[in-house]
Structures are given as C-alpha cells and as structure tokens.
Amino acid sequence: MISRNKIKALIDLMDKEPSLKPRLQATLAQFIRQDPLKFKNVLEESYGANIPGYIKDILVNIKREERSAAFGNYFKAGNPSLLKGMLLIAGIINPYLSERQALAKFELLKRDLAAEMDCGFDIFHKAEVLSQYFFVRGKYRLESLNSGVKVLSLPDIISDGGASSFAMAALYCCAAECFDVKADMFDAGGKVMVRLRDKYSYEPVYVDVFAGGRFVGEDECNIYASAHGFSWSGALITPLTSKQIIRRFLANLIYVYSKNGEDGALAIVRKSLSLAE
C-alpha cells in the first residue's frame, strides 16, 4: 500500500521540478489507481480547491481509460446502435459525464422534435421536419474539427448546436430512427450523405447536411459522383455500418488530440480504436 508521505513527496517534486512532470506522471497515475481515496485526501491537504492542471489531466485520463474499455464490447457486438456508440464517444470526451446524463440530452431533443412530428407523415414530410428542426429552427451549424472535440460530442452538440459535418449526419440519423425512419450514412466520394427510407415509400430521400439539410435528387448525386470520378447508383450504395461510423469518430478524435498535443488522451483513444481490429 502506498504511503501518504510518498504521494506528497512525488507531488512536491513535480511542483518544484516542472521538467520532470512528463517522466513522473505515469508514476503519479499509478499511485492514484492504487488508492484513489488516499490520493484525494493528500491532494486536498496540499492544494485545497486549487488543484494544478496537470493533476486534473491525469485524473481525467484515468476516467477515460475506464470508459475506453466499453469500446471492446461495442465492436464485438453484431450490430450495435449508432446512438450507443455516440454516447461512448461522449464519455471519452467528457468522462465525468455519465452515459445516463448524455442520453438525457438526446431524450430532450427527441421529445422536442416529437412535438413537430406526426407518425402519419410520409418520408418526405418527416425529412422536411427533421431538416427544419435542425437547420432552421434549431440553427445547428457545421464547424471544423479545429474547433475542438466538442463538435464530436453528442450532448455538447445538442447544447451548443455546433457539430462537425460527420457528427451532424450521425445525429440526424439517430433522430430520424426515433420516428420509424431507416437512416443510413454513406460516403459519396469523400462527402458524407444521409439516406432516409421507410416501409411505405419506394423512393428514398437523400439529405446533404453540408448544405443545411437540403434534399438532393439522384440526378444531382450522379453529377456529384461523376465529378469525383466514380459511378453513381442508388441501388449500389453501401451504407456505413455503425461500427465504421464510430471508428471514424475515434479517428477524428485522434486528429484533434494530436493537433492539440494532448498525449494522454491521444494514447487512450488510439487504444479504443485498436479494439475495433
């Protein structure tokens, strides 16, 4: 069992010799895992409410490691839900937010949307309601990954309205499927599109989230495809699976954490992605 004096000595050394922090952080993390309550008590004695940022980062990454393990079960499942995967992504971004809390944000969105959606609506009317809800009334906006990881986090997207184009397409699909709509994401030569279908309509609806939820006809899809050097056929579309979508979310997180120099988070997300192999 680690002693209080040893924990305090390590913290004091890291405070006095900042150059040693990168080498000693792993040891400090090990102390925290061995006896989190004792570490908490020493931390409060040493700093009160003014906990140094580097210690906060270690604590957050320990929580991230706990959340990361859930991706193993997700990628082993036969056909896991996209919503479940997005909740796991949110848990990696903010590990102190429980899955229940994150889901509650989506449930509020669903109830809000249900007030405008009639179960008797056809697929075209439902698609119109969805696009109006997100891009007109809700004023959701597309943001670059350079804005930070919040544009990939479902609860943050719902609260703030800012999403990466890929995350926006995923949220659009999750919302659509709450109202008897089969929603797919597919990659049209580098541009992610959404396809909506139901059991009553022969014709699907194609939605371009890059263009504020605008409906796109197959003729326009064909023109776009030709411009990017591939042949379009609605019948040959291969939708992305939920696992493929979540893998891309993790790849996007790797990009952001790498760009921001967040090595601890980067290592954990890479480990999470490796569970998909």
Side-chain angles (χ1 to χ4, degrees):
M1 188 68 71
I2 198 72
S3 70
R4 296 167 65 89
N5 288 339
K6 198 165 185 179
I7 294 173
K8 195 169 188 317
L10 180 60
I11 292 175
D12 290 343
L13 180 60
M14 294 176 78
D15 284 341
K16 291 174 183 175
E17 300 290 343
S19 63
L20 296 177
K21 283 179 185 176
R23 293 166 55 189
L24 297 178
Q25 281 183 354
T27 304
L28 185 59
Q30 185 179 3
F31 287 179
I32 296 169
R33 292 189 190 94
Q34 284 181 10
D35 197 332
L37 182 58
K38 187 180 289 182
F39 180 83
K40 179 175 178 290
N41 291 336
V42 173
L43 206 59
E44 289 173 351
E45 290 172 8
S46 300
Y47 300 108
N50 301 313
I51 300 173
Y54 73 89
I55 293 182
K56 288 182 180 178
D57 289 343
I58 293 172
L59 293 171
V60 167
N61 284 330
I62 288 173
K63 293 289 290 182
R64 281 197 178 107
E65 286 180 352
E66 295 171 0
R67 294 296 188 92
S68 174
F71 283 98
N73 291 331
Y74 185 83
F75 289 122
K76 286 177 185 175
N79 184 29
S81 80
L82 176 57
L83 177 59
K84 171 68 175 178
M86 292 186 74
L87 293 174
L88 293 180
I89 293 293
I92 286 287
I93 293 171
N94 181 2
Y96 287 104
L97 183 74
S98 71
E99 185 172 308
R100 184 176 179 179
Q101 290 171 317
L103 180 59
K105 289 275 190 181
F106 182 76
E107 291 296 330
L108 286 174
L109 178 150
K110 186 171 130 182
R111 285 200 292 272
D112 192 22
L113 185 53
E116 303 180 24
M117 187 80 75
D118 189 306
C119 291
F121 288 167
D122 62 27
I123 186 66
F124 298 99
H125 200 163
K126 287 179 179 179
E128 180 64 30
V129 171
L130 285 163
S131 290
Q132 286 286 320
Y133 177 85
F134 284 117
F135 299 109
V136 179
R137 189 166 74 79
K139 300 187 184 303
Y140 279 66
R141 63 197 180 278
L142 301 186
E143 295 189 2
S144 163
L145 289 175
N146 293 329
S147 300
V149 293
K150 285 189 174 183
V151 300
L152 297 167
S153 171
L154 181 139
D156 289 310
I157 293 168
I158 294 172
S159 295
D160 303 333
S164 73
S165 57
F166 192 79
M168 187 67 242
L171 175 57
Y172 197 107
C173 287
C174 288
E177 294 206 331
C178 294
F179 300 98
D180 296 323
V181 176
K182 173 61 179 171
D184 295 316
M185 291 169 61
F186 63 95
D187 193 330
K191 182 174 185 176
V192 174
M193 306 276 285
V194 172
R195 178 178 62 181
L196 305 178
R197 294 171 291 164
D198 65 12
K199 58 185 176 182
Y200 304 108
S201 304
Y202 175 75
E203 290 291 332
V205 176
Y206 298 99
V207 180
D208 185 352
V209 296
F210 283 84
R214 184 171 64 90
F215 296 172
V216 179
E218 289 204 9
D219 54 344
E220 191 170 347
C221 289
N222 189 37
I223 293 171
Y224 179 82
S226 298
H228 288 77
F230 68 98
S231 299
W232 166 267
S233 172
L236 297 178
I237 288 175
T238 302
L240 297 171
T241 67
S242 57
K243 293 179 186 180
Q244 288 173 323
I245 293 169
I246 297 306
R247 280 203 294 266
R248 193 174 298 192
F249 266 99
L250 289 169
N252 285 338
L253 280 179
I254 286 172
Y255 168 80
V256 178
Y257 286 134
S258 177
K259 183 175 181 296
N260 294 341
E262 298 181 56
D263 294 339
L266 179 61
I268 293 165
V269 176
R270 280 180 171 156
K271 180 180 177 181
S272 301
L273 184 57
S274 73
L275 297 173
E277 297 172 355

